[in-house]
Amino acid sequence: MIKFLDLKKVNQPYEQAFQDKMKTVMDKGWYILGDEIKAFETNFAHYCGTKYCIGVGNGLDALVLILKAYIQLGKLQKGDEVIIPANTYIASILAVLQADLIPVLVEPNLETYNLDPNTVEKAITSKTKAILPVHLYGQLAPMKEINTLAKQNNLLVIEDAAQSHGAVLYSQKSGNWGDAAAFSFYPGKNLGALGDAGAITTNDDALAKMIFAIRNYGSEKKYVHDYIGINSRLDELQAAFLSVKLPNLDKENAVRKKIAERYLSEIKNDKIKLPFFDGTQNHVFHLFVIRTANREELQEYLSANTIQTLIHYPTPPHHQKALSYMGDLSFPITEKIHREVLSLPISPVMTDEEVSYVIEIINKF
Ligand SMILES: *Cc1c(COP(=O)(O)O)cnc(C)c1O
């Protein structure tokens, strides 16, 4: 059986180092906002090339905290509009709603599944205050074009980088393109913790200062609360585990890329649309997503041949019950994507034989 993602195998090489870290934390007896979180924040900021990294509880909170901090700083206000790709994971939209802002969904580009600068431009109104590109499946959105639009219209750019740790566009890393970026270290992400974890990267001094406070009860000094904060601190142990894994992230992304390149050159089946890839580091293949008109049939066929696949995502956010107020909206490109996409197994621990087998079976479909 070829698992979609064998997380146990992904984390096995780090087991001893995790146990050593666990002992370090136990010996210190300091569990919240200690040395490990500070060290990871320094390491990850350095990795992304940003001035700051702020460790938080998860990816959703990372987005919420960026938006709430901008509200606190007076750069966003309740009711402002935020432009988001309609085909994102629902977290990006929930974050905007949690911050009392208005998500404005736009159609993505059907080739890259990322934001389309043309649909973004058409959606800009006098109430638009931010663009929230999602680097979906591990590929950076067209950030030069998005940043140009943002500059022309005086908008903030907030990256949802939950799927794109380490992706590079024109020598600039994911997380260092917008005014701020949100990362998730959910176990299945390219850099995954052993539980929930997230972070924000930014070069903005005032924003970083505000987020450091509001992730910790709006407090910069113990028992002094200047802002309405939340409790969303990156866990000390998770931070330690992430510092163990970070030095291998580029190596692991390179393995993903090798697998993707094999899929791209060796899968030959007219019924299957392969993902767009420009050959650079612009894509870290968090997911390898193909499209086919016979998705359910293909998924069953692969399953019968012991290949596990997943769908990212089966239902577009505007058709979810939770967002039923959006029910009248129609996004034909987004809906087509949700009907046709299928994610093939890809991970740093997949063997050459497994990749060959997946290719052979798909080519016989
Ligand atoms: C995983 C993910 C999130 C949320 O991250 P959590 O850590 O699960 O809260 C947000 N946006 C996107 C695009 C994601 O893939």
Side-chain angles (χ1 to χ4, degrees), residues 106-124:
V106 296
E107 289 274 47
N109 177 302
L110 184 58
E111 292 302 308
T112 63
Y113 311 120
N114 271 326
L115 268 184
D116 174 349
N118 297 312
T119 62
V120 172
E121 187 165 21
K122 283 192 196 117
I124 294 172

Side-chain angles (χ1 to χ4, degrees), residues 180-207:
F183 284 89
S184 163
F185 307 114
Y186 179 83
K189 303 287 158 104
N190 286 30
L191 179 61
L194 303 187
D196 277 313
I200 293 146
T201 52
T202 184
N203 294 308
D204 180 333
D205 300 329
L207 182 74

Side-chain angles (χ1 to χ4, degrees), residues 39 147 164 243 256:
N147 282 352
S164 60
S243 286
R256 289 173 180 274

Side-chain angles (χ1 to χ4, degrees), residues 51-314:
K51 198 163 169 190
Y52 300 100
C53 165
I54 305 111
V56 301
N58 55 66
L60 172 61
D61 281 358
L63 286 166
V64 172
L65 280 162
I66 293 168
L67 296 168
K68 288 199 168 171
Y70 275 130
I71 290 172
Q72 196 63 248
L73 291 167
K75 289 200 174 179
L76 289 176
Q77 283 184 46
K78 189 177 169 170
D80 285 346
E81 292 177 359
V82 180
I83 296 175
I84 307 190
N87 61 322
T88 184
Y89 179 57
I90 197 167
S92 338
I93 297 167
L94 293 180
V96 173
L97 291 171
Q98 275 196 28
D100 283 326
L101 301 166
I102 299 180
V104 174
L105 307 191
V106 296
E107 289 274 47
N109 177 302
L110 184 58
E111 292 302 308
T112 63
Y113 311 120
N114 271 326
L115 268 184
D116 174 349
N118 297 312
T119 62
V120 172
E121 187 165 21
K122 283 192 196 117
I124 294 172
T125 72
S126 59
K127 296 190 76 182
T128 308
K129 290 287 147 37
I131 306 173
L132 202 157
V134 181
H135 307 310
L136 205 66
Y137 308 148
Q139 181 167 231
L140 278 154
M143 292 310 294
K144 271 197 177 161
E145 293 81 351
I146 289 167
N147 282 352
T148 302
L149 273 177
K151 208 169 221 167
Q152 285 164 352
N153 295 279
N154 201 20
L155 311 176
L156 295 166
V157 175
I158 298 156
E159 303 171 67
D160 182 336
Q163 302 189 359
S164 60
H165 318 70
V168 178
L169 180 62
Y170 307 116
S171 319
Q172 207 166 316
K173 281 236 173 82
S174 156
N176 192 17
W177 274 95
D179 293 285
F183 284 89
S184 163
F185 307 114
Y186 179 83
K189 303 287 158 104
N190 286 30
L191 179 61
L194 303 187
D196 277 313
I200 293 146
T201 52
T202 184
N203 294 308
D204 180 333
D205 300 329
L207 182 74
K209 190 163 184 282
M210 182 62 75
I211 295 172
F212 275 120
I214 62 178
R215 75 162 177 196
N216 185 30
Y217 291 106
S219 168
E220 285 167 339
K221 207 172 140 205
K222 206 164 172 77
Y223 304 127
V224 179
H225 302 273
D226 290 341
Y227 315 105
I228 305 282
I230 64 173
N231 175 3
S232 186
R233 304 170 292 222
L234 172 58
D235 182 82
E236 187 73 358
L237 271 175
Q238 297 304 336
F241 298 154
L242 288 166
S243 286
V244 167
K245 290 179 81 177
L246 180 60
N248 277 333
L249 176 58
D250 287 344
K251 230 185 290 169
E252 295 193 352
N253 281 344
V255 176
R256 289 173 180 274
K257 187 172 158 214
K258 266 217 168 103
I259 295 168
E261 281 168 344
R262 282 201 60 198
Y263 281 157
L264 285 166
S265 66
E266 296 175 44
I267 293 177
K268 290 185 169 45
N269 186 324
D270 291 344
K271 296 194 205 91
I272 284 162
K273 169 102 179 100
L274 294 166
F276 169 79
F277 175 43
D278 69 3
T280 70
Q281 295 175 77
N282 181 17
H283 207 322
V284 290
F285 289 98
H286 171 56
L287 298 169
F288 190 93
V289 178
I290 60 170
R291 265 187 15 240
T292 173
N294 323 78
R295 195 244 320 264
E296 271 62 37
E297 195 191 326
L298 176 61
Q299 189 172 34
E300 271 170 38
Y301 163 81
L302 292 173
S303 170
N305 285 285
T306 71
I307 297 167
Q308 191 186 20
T309 55
L310 291 178
I311 297 169
H312 298 90
Y313 300 91

